[in-house]
Amino acid sequence: MKALRLIRWSGSVLSPRPRPCSIHPFHKHPPPIRPLTTSAPPIQPDVQEPERNHDREEDQSGDEELVIPKDMPKHLRKEARLRALPSPPLSEARSSAKLAALHARLSLSPRIPIETLARCLVDGTADPNPDFNNTSLSTLGRELYGYYTAEAILCRYPRLPTAVVFAAMSAYVGPRTLTQITKEWGVELVAEPGGEVDPGYLQCKREDSMLTRKHSGPSDKDPAIALERSQPKIVGLNRPNPGWSWRRGVSSMTVYDDEYGDLIKNNGRSSNNMEPTTTVEDACARFVQAAMGLVYLHRGKHAAKSFFQEHILSRHLNIGSMFEFKQPTLDLTKLCAREGLESPVARILSETGRLSRHPVFIVGVFAGKEKLGEGSGSSLNEARVRAAVGALKGWYLYSPLEVRVPSEAEGPNAKPWKPVLIDIGEVVC
């Protein structure tokens, strides 16, 4: 298989030069080009200037610049410059103890700059400039997480239903799991982002739940509004005819939705010309995804795969508990008919205490002379259903002895790729 070469466009992901020490005030619509100087602008000498009653003035280009009074102490000047930034400057990353501890806690290579790790902690809602937030890194990390997780699940369990694959993907690299990983890494969220904040905190602008509830719209007391809101509406970025009450099937979820089977929505929420905000869960997920993109760009795919194995795939996940069968006996009958087996028959294997208050029945499901599953219960019907569920799980949870994923076939010294089992698919009743 041909390896992907993302190093050609990695320059658009990593900023080649550090953040300027010169401070520009925060704009809702920042200028497209931010000066990248490595030193602070020199303080102008004392000259006679007309007195100004305001703290800001506009230059000839139309951008606002911070004017610092001449009599302000030196330490207050630095604080004023930092407060004017939407996020901490990269020059402060070297002096952050939290960043150094996080770098060591993740066992990152010394070749990974701590300034780029500080950039992973800046969400797009805190600093809208793509050169200083983690938007590009999180996009790359999200795709890598999805690719590595999907190949691990599908190659190990090739017969899993699509709905269970979506649930397993969400359990491994979903927003809730990545939020828990953020807490395990010891990363804390800042109350309000700004240039004066320690770069070791996760910078994001949280959405106000009270404000969202206040402007949620008309009351549901109106029957017409209540009827309209009761009807399910599908709204997603990739969905055709948004707002229509279409049924979301497994096929449409695979084509239009994300890797978890959820609707694709905007990362930052903004309405009524307000600044974009995000939830804590989404901000934490983007940070962990950006950390994966950071390792991939600086250390390569082998280091990124090891990072994924250590922090994601090493977690135990009971996939058997994700199944939910509505009619297991009917599903088993359809499966046997598709595979050319005889119709399943339930037989009592053993029982105890039939006339007592707590009887136990053990029932097996057979297709001819071959036993497909076994289950126990306090009644014959319960034991028969559990036996059918066990037979279905035994079929869907099949795993080959040697599991090899496609990413292991990349590289000059990799072994030739051998195709894995491709199943027909789950039974549709």
Side-chain angles (χ1 to χ4, degrees):
M1 298 180 64
K2 186 177 181 180
L4 297 177
R5 298 183 177 273
L6 300 181
I7 195 64
R8 295 182 179 178
W9 54 272
S10 61
S12 61
V13 179
L14 294 176
S15 54
R17 285 171 284 182
R19 193 186 186 113
C21 295
S22 59
I23 307 303
H24 293 268
F26 175 74
H27 300 275
K28 291 184 179 179
H29 303 283
I33 300 177
R34 182 182 294 186
L36 297 177
T37 58
T38 57
S39 60
I43 302 177
Q44 298 295 336
D46 297 342
V47 294
Q48 294 182 358
E49 295 182 355
E51 297 182 358
R52 298 185 179 93
N53 296 326
H54 51 83
D55 295 335
R56 298 179 185 271
E57 65 175 358
E58 294 186 0
D59 56 2
Q60 296 179 358
S61 62
D63 295 336
E64 294 183 0
E65 294 202 6
L66 184 65
V67 178
I68 302 177
K70 296 177 294 184
D71 56 347
M72 180 178 291
K74 186 176 181 180
H75 67 282
L76 294 180
R77 293 186 181 185
K78 180 180 179 181
E79 183 177 357
R81 292 193 181 101
L82 291 178
R83 288 184 179 275
L85 274 179
S87 62
L90 297 182
S91 58
E92 299 292 331
R94 291 288 177 180
S95 60
S96 175
K98 290 183 175 294
L99 272 180
L102 179 61
H103 194 281
R105 194 179 300 121
L106 299 182
S107 301
L108 298 179
S109 172
R111 297 183 180 181
I112 297 180
I114 199 170
E115 290 84 0
T116 314
L117 180 61
R119 179 184 171 183
C120 294
L121 291 166
V122 180
D123 192 73
T125 57
D127 192 342
N129 195 323
D131 294 334
F132 302 104
N133 58 32
N134 61 4
T135 302
S136 54
L137 291 173
S138 63
T139 302
L140 176 60
R142 181 189 181 98
E143 298 299 327
L144 291 173
Y145 276 140
Y147 171 60
Y148 290 149
T149 308
E151 68 174 5
I153 295 175
L154 294 178
C155 292
R156 184 174 296 275
Y157 303 103
R159 292 176 177 172
L160 279 183
T162 307
V164 181
V165 173
F166 284 148
M169 291 278 294
S170 180
Y172 271 120
V173 291
R176 293 185 179 180
T177 305
L178 299 185
T179 303
Q180 184 64 29
I181 292 177
T182 303
K183 296 179 181 179
E184 294 175 0
W185 287 355
V187 178
E188 301 176 351
L189 274 80
V190 70
E192 185 68 22
E196 74 281 1
V197 183
D198 192 298
Y201 287 100
L202 180 57
Q203 312 274 329
C204 69
K205 288 189 177 180
R206 312 181 193 183
E207 65 178 2
D208 191 353
S209 58
M210 297 297 296
L211 184 62
T212 304
R213 192 181 302 112
K214 180 179 179 181
H215 298 282
S216 58
S219 175
D220 292 340
K221 295 181 179 179
D222 190 349
I225 297 177
L227 178 61
E228 181 182 358
R229 291 186 176 180
S230 63
Q231 297 177 355
K233 292 185 177 182
I234 302 177
V235 179
L237 294 183
N238 294 345
R239 285 277 177 174
N241 303 323
W244 289 25
S245 300
W246 294 106
R247 183 182 68 87
R248 288 184 62 208
V250 176
S251 299
S252 65
M253 292 167 62
T254 305
V255 175
Y256 296 115
D257 298 340
D258 60 5
E259 60 269 26
Y260 317 123
D262 300 330
L263 294 173
I264 300 177
K265 299 180 180 180
N266 291 324
N267 291 334
R269 298 173 174 83
S270 60
S271 59
N272 299 330
N273 297 328
M274 299 177 59
E275 297 179 355
T277 57
T278 184
T279 60
V280 174
E281 191 174 271
D282 293 340
C284 293
R286 286 193 288 270
F287 158 65
V288 181
Q289 294 165 358
M292 179 65 170
L294 166 69
V295 175
Y296 183 86
L297 289 178
H298 281 279
R299 300 300 299 154
K301 58 184 178 183
H302 297 291
K305 192 67 178 294
S306 300
F307 186 84
F308 171 78
Q309 293 279 352
E310 294 172 359
H311 296 279
I312 303 298
L313 209 59
S314 60
R315 297 171 175 268
H316 174 69
L317 179 62
N318 186 10
I319 298 183
S321 61
M322 297 181 177
F323 286 87
E324 183 178 355
F325 300 100
K326 296 181 179 180
Q327 296 177 333
T329 55
L330 180 59
D331 292 346
L332 183 59
T333 303
K334 294 280 188 180
L335 178 61
C336 292
R338 191 189 72 178
E339 297 299 325
L341 303 176
E342 298 181 11
S343 298
V345 178
R347 300 172 185 172
I348 300 179
L349 300 180
S350 63
E351 62 175 282
T352 179
R354 179 185 285 265
L355 301 179
S356 64
R357 296 182 59 183
H358 303 284
V360 177
F361 300 92
I362 299 177
V363 176
V365 177
F366 294 83
K369 296 183 179 180
E370 183 178 358
K371 186 172 74 171
L372 304 179
E374 182 180 319
S376 62
S378 58
S379 65
L380 290 174
N381 187 35
E382 180 183 358
R384 180 174 61 89
V385 171
R386 289 186 176 180
V389 170
L392 290 173
K393 286 185 177 180
W395 172 265
Y396 286 127
L397 293 178
Y398 160 78
S399 179
L401 296 178
E402 296 182 2
V403 180
R404 192 159 179 257
V405 295
S407 61
E408 296 179 358
E410 299 176 356
N413 299 326
K415 297 181 180 180
W417 168 250
K418 294 182 179 181
V420 297
L421 173 65
I422 300 178
D423 190 67
I424 301 176
E426 63 265 26
V427 178
V428 179
C429 297

